[in-house]
Amino acid sequence: MKKKWSVLLCSLLLVGMLAGCGKEENNAAPVTTEPATTSDTTAPAAAEESGKYADGSYYAEGEFDADSGWKPYIVLTVKDGKIATADWNFVSSKGGPDKKAVDKAGNYGMKEKGGAQAEWYEQAETAEKFLIEKQDPAAITLNDEGKTDAITGVSIHVNDLANLSKKALDAGPIEPGTYKDGSYHAEGDQFDADSGWKSTVDLTVANGKIIYAFFSGVNEAGDDKQAYSIDGKYGMKEKGGSVAEWHEEAQTAQAFLIEKQDPAAITLNDEGKTDAITGVTIHVTDFVTLSQKALEGAK
């Protein structure tokens, strides 16, 4: 009998010891394993550490407005993750300087003609400063007319500023070109004795690249050659059997220059024409030489 109790007692003691060991193990602090450190580990991007956006240049453009003839564009620069500069502007389908240049020269006249409290370019600059301050295009809240109550002193339409800023930032930074931003003009020395036209070229550079080119001409009556052709007064198809009108071929040449970014890409033959641009049969010597002349100021 004593032997049975001894066996039972030993069994109970053994169970208690095991239970105690299990309880002690459950109460122990969890063991954590540090992630292995290797030479492949990379630091967070600079933009994530210091700001919202990646450093660099940003660009976006809209379409020509059917009524006004203006096409909007914007250039943004980001430094240390933040929008540092903003240039919101327009080019005209009729040629000539950009909208800010036209306005600063006194040829837009919002104050004189419309009774505005400030000129267009002044309001545009105020809106640009607001974007830089807020660092978010969404801060420019818009009403149904494309205007905003968010920016004091700005009564102009700012929907293009808000929308193109977002478009540019969403697309990410792009490599800038080598030209100096601005509008550039060059024209021939005299009216051609045979045709009566004097060639003109207007170029606009933004983010260092040619974004706009307008090849046209003017006669002594003050007519614009592209407009003259659009109105059917030039008549290359009707009078010369051409497959396209003069303004259509001129616009094809313009697009080629914007694509190539160098007037020298338009190679010329002895007649002053080119085989480099499909569909262009007009003389383009003046387009090449005047584009080169205009870009002298952009270097």
Side-chain angles (χ1 to χ4, degrees), residues 181-202:
D181 287 8
S183 292
Y184 303 93
H185 174 82
E187 60 183 58
D189 295 329
Q190 58 190 6
F191 296 101
D192 185 87
D194 296 323
S195 69
W197 293 101
K198 179 169 66 175
S199 295
T200 63
V201 166
D202 290 290

Side-chain angles (χ1 to χ4, degrees), residues 10-280:
C10 289
S11 299
L12 290 172
L13 289 172
L14 179 60
V15 170
M17 290 174 63
L18 292 172
C21 290
K23 186 175 181 181
E24 184 177 350
E25 187 173 319
N26 288 338
N27 289 336
V31 177
T32 59
T33 303
E34 293 294 332
T37 302
T38 69
S39 58
D40 293 334
T41 303
T42 56
E48 295 177 356
E49 293 177 348
S50 58
K52 186 175 181 179
Y53 308 108
D55 285 7
S57 298
Y58 295 74
Y59 175 79
E61 64 181 44
E63 302 292 335
F64 283 107
D65 183 82
D67 296 324
S68 69
W70 291 107
K71 179 171 79 168
Y73 68 90
I74 193 162
V75 180
L76 304 173
T77 59
V78 172
K79 184 177 180 181
D80 297 329
K82 296 182 179 181
I83 301 170
T85 65
D87 181 17
W88 170 45
N89 211 335
F90 290 73
V91 292
S92 173
S93 61
K94 301 175 183 178
D98 60 76
K99 191 171 183 177
K100 281 182 178 175
V102 169
D103 197 19
K104 289 178 180 179
N107 297 321
Y108 197 73
M110 272 184 51
K111 291 177 70 173
E112 180 181 353
K113 299 174 184 176
Q117 59 183 330
E119 298 292 2
W120 185 89
Y121 79 91
E122 295 172 321
Q123 296 194 41
E125 290 174 351
T126 300
E128 292 164 352
K129 291 176 182 177
F130 181 86
L131 174 61
I132 295 170
E133 176 191 349
K134 298 300 182 182
Q135 292 291 306
D136 187 357
I140 307 173
T141 52
L142 302 171
N143 60 25
D144 294 338
E145 296 180 356
K147 296 185 177 184
T148 186
D149 295 322
I151 311 174
T152 303
V154 173
S155 60
I156 60 175
H157 294 84
V158 291
N159 49 311
D160 287 324
L161 171 62
N163 296 334
L164 291 180
S165 295
K166 183 180 185 305
K167 180 180 177 181
L169 292 168
D170 287 347
I174 61 174
E175 189 69 24
T178 58
Y179 298 114
K180 183 170 63 177
D181 287 8
S183 292
Y184 303 93
H185 174 82
E187 60 183 58
D189 295 329
Q190 58 190 6
F191 296 101
D192 185 87
D194 296 323
S195 69
W197 293 101
K198 179 169 66 175
S199 295
T200 63
V201 166
D202 290 290
L203 303 175
T204 298
V205 174
N207 197 37
K209 296 181 179 180
I210 302 168
I211 64 161
Y212 172 74
F214 189 77
F215 172 40
S216 193
V218 61
N219 60 19
E220 292 184 344
D223 296 314
D224 175 79
K225 193 172 184 178
Q226 280 210 32
Y228 199 81
S229 177
I230 291 170
D231 291 341
K233 298 176 182 178
Y234 199 78
M236 264 182 49
K237 291 176 71 173
E238 179 183 355
K239 300 173 184 177
S242 177
V243 296
E245 297 292 0
W246 190 89
H247 70 276
E248 294 173 321
E249 296 198 18
Q251 290 168 7
T252 300
Q254 293 166 187
F256 184 84
L257 175 59
I258 293 171
E259 176 190 352
K260 300 298 183 182
Q261 292 291 305
D262 185 358
I266 307 173
T267 53
L268 302 170
N269 60 25
D270 293 338
E271 296 180 356
K273 297 185 178 183
T274 184
D275 294 322
I277 312 173
T278 303
V280 173

